[in-house]
Amino acid sequence: MWIFNSEETALGEALEGMISAEPETYRRLDTKYGYGMFRRDLPPDRVRIIVDGGGGYGPMWAGFARPGLADAAVHGEFNSAPNAYVLYEMAKAVDAGKGVLFLCNHFMGDYLNNDMALELLEREGIRAKACYISDDVCSCIGEEKEARGGLHGIAQIAKLAWNCAARGDSLDEVFRLAQKGNDRLRSITMKVEDQGQILVGPGFSGEPPKETVPFESADQLVSLALEKLLAELEPYGPKEVFLCINRLRRMCFTEGFVVIRAAVRYLRERGIGVCGSSVGTYFDVFNSNGCMISLLAADEEMKACLGSVSGYDFTV
């Protein structure tokens, strides 16, 4: 049971609550088309980063409007992509003349609405690009990576883009680094059922798992996940990775850190360094135990942009 006044009003009331908690930090976008908020302290003369996606229960998306992640966030109703017009309105509200980069997970509704927003902005003479994150290794198996959906790895791409923009780089450079990060990003969902089974790669829209195995230990779960992620990253020969663990709704604080310890040990035993790591609840879509595990194969250019970022009640 959710502690809402109603599901229809929850997302709007949550935005009002966030602004009430930090009134000096946020402004809400004045629009009748959806939900958006942006930071008050936007520096002049640089590319703006906007994250967007379907409304949910965790920090994605409104919680990512933080220094180091994004300048603004837009979301739709629960599990629904924001419409093109609110994306267009947000870009107009925050643009500083240097262009706008939209970051969203790669799903059909998000792709179509972001693409339409780009067309609307082009007519206004505002430069804009979109990077569609496709880190879910268990979606669209057998197809090109660009066809896959996205999970929580988008937080690392937001860091890359924001820090690149903060240096004063052009929109083309910010987009290039975001795309590079997406190319080198892989994530997987590992649900743990009460019956003692690991479901590997289930989709949050009801897609079945790709594999089911008996649960034995945290070490076993991590080994199973990282073996698949590292096989995907083999072409990059990663010497260092950024590791991020997204707790599902029923994974507790302690379990999350047991998992991240196991993951760091697994990687180091294979000669792969960990240039940074984080654990938290970011993408809160499964009402179950388990986690999403993400690896970003970092090079020297990317490492400079991957420091930890703290939100209102999370660090990523």
Side-chain angles (χ1 to χ4, degrees), residues 31-100:
T31 178
K32 61 182 179 181
Y33 296 105
Y35 307 98
M37 61 189 295
F38 58 98
R39 298 194 347 261
R40 291 180 177 273
D41 62 343
L42 295 178
D45 296 332
R46 79 182 199 199
V47 174
R48 300 298 193 215
I49 311 300
I50 301 174
V51 292
D52 67 269
Y57 309 94
M60 290 171 60
W61 302 92
F64 281 10
R66 305 295 299 192
L69 285 173
D71 300 302
V74 175
H75 62 76
E77 299 292 346
F78 282 115
N79 307 312
S80 299
N83 67 52
Y85 203 75
V86 71
L87 294 167
Y88 158 78
E89 286 185 325
M90 180 61 84
K92 288 186 66 176
V94 302
D95 177 49
K98 300 295 185 180
V100 174

Side-chain angles (χ1 to χ4, degrees), residues 26-308:
Y26 292 126
R27 288 182 59 188
R28 184 168 181 175
L29 181 68
D30 183 16
T31 178
K32 61 182 179 181
Y33 296 105
Y35 307 98
M37 61 189 295
F38 58 98
R39 298 194 347 261
R40 291 180 177 273
D41 62 343
L42 295 178
D45 296 332
R46 79 182 199 199
V47 174
R48 300 298 193 215
I49 311 300
I50 301 174
V51 292
D52 67 269
Y57 309 94
M60 290 171 60
W61 302 92
F64 281 10
R66 305 295 299 192
L69 285 173
D71 300 302
V74 175
H75 62 76
E77 299 292 346
F78 282 115
N79 307 312
S80 299
N83 67 52
Y85 203 75
V86 71
L87 294 167
Y88 158 78
E89 286 185 325
M90 180 61 84
K92 288 186 66 176
V94 302
D95 177 49
K98 300 295 185 180
V100 174
L101 178 66
F102 292 105
L103 296 177
C104 67
N105 278 335
H106 184 236
F107 300 108
M108 184 59 69
D110 299 280
Y111 177 89
L112 291 173
N113 286 311
N114 277 264
D115 190 59
M116 185 177 292
L118 298 182
E119 293 184 16
L120 293 170
L121 291 165
E122 184 178 17
R123 293 181 183 182
E124 296 274 351
I126 297 174
R127 291 198 68 214
K129 291 179 178 287
C131 181
Y132 303 101
I133 310 305
S134 53
D135 55 323
D136 184 358
V137 301
C138 289
S139 64
C140 299
I141 290 177
E143 299 185 35
E144 296 294 323
K145 181 184 184 296
E146 292 74 17
R148 294 173 174 175
L151 294 174
H152 75 291
I154 191 170
Q156 310 311 322
I157 308 306
K159 290 182 191 178
L160 294 175
W162 195 93
N163 283 288
C164 189
R167 295 194 301 246
D169 291 2
S170 68
L171 176 60
D172 289 339
E173 272 299 295
V174 175
F175 176 73
R176 179 195 65 80
L177 188 58
Q179 288 284 77
K180 177 182 177 180
N182 186 43
D183 290 342
R184 301 165 71 99
L185 177 68
R186 300 294 188 278
S187 303
I188 191 169
T189 301
M190 309 291 282
K191 284 179 67 176
V192 179
E193 299 283 87
D194 292 337
Q195 295 81 6
Q197 293 181 317
I198 302 173
L199 307 186
V200 180
F204 53 82
S205 297
E207 298 87 349
K210 305 303 179 288
E211 184 180 356
T212 301
V213 299
F215 174 79
E216 297 173 6
S217 66
D219 287 347
Q220 173 232 11
L221 180 149
V222 165
S223 297
L224 183 62
L226 292 187
E227 180 181 356
K228 296 179 184 301
L229 297 180
L230 290 175
E232 287 260 341
L233 291 172
E234 188 174 355
Y236 300 101
K239 295 180 180 179
E240 290 187 274
V241 296
F242 192 99
L243 165 69
C244 187
I245 309 295
N246 178 70
R247 297 194 306 260
L248 302 187
R249 206 172 295 160
R250 289 169 51 199
M251 175 176 267
C252 75
F253 179 92
T254 300
E255 290 170 301
F257 282 99
V258 168
V259 167
I260 207 165
R261 170 191 175 274
V264 169
R265 286 168 59 91
Y266 182 97
L267 292 164
R268 288 177 176 165
E269 286 171 359
R270 284 151 185 81
I272 299 172
V274 179
C275 63
S277 63
S278 61
V279 56
T281 300
Y282 316 112
F283 195 23
D284 187 5
V285 293
F286 286 108
N287 186 24
S288 62
N289 204 342
C291 58
M292 297 173 184
I293 300 179
S294 174
L295 293 181
L296 176 63
D299 62 10
E300 291 302 316
E301 179 186 32
M302 298 162 72
K303 282 168 57 180
C305 299
L306 287 173
S308 295

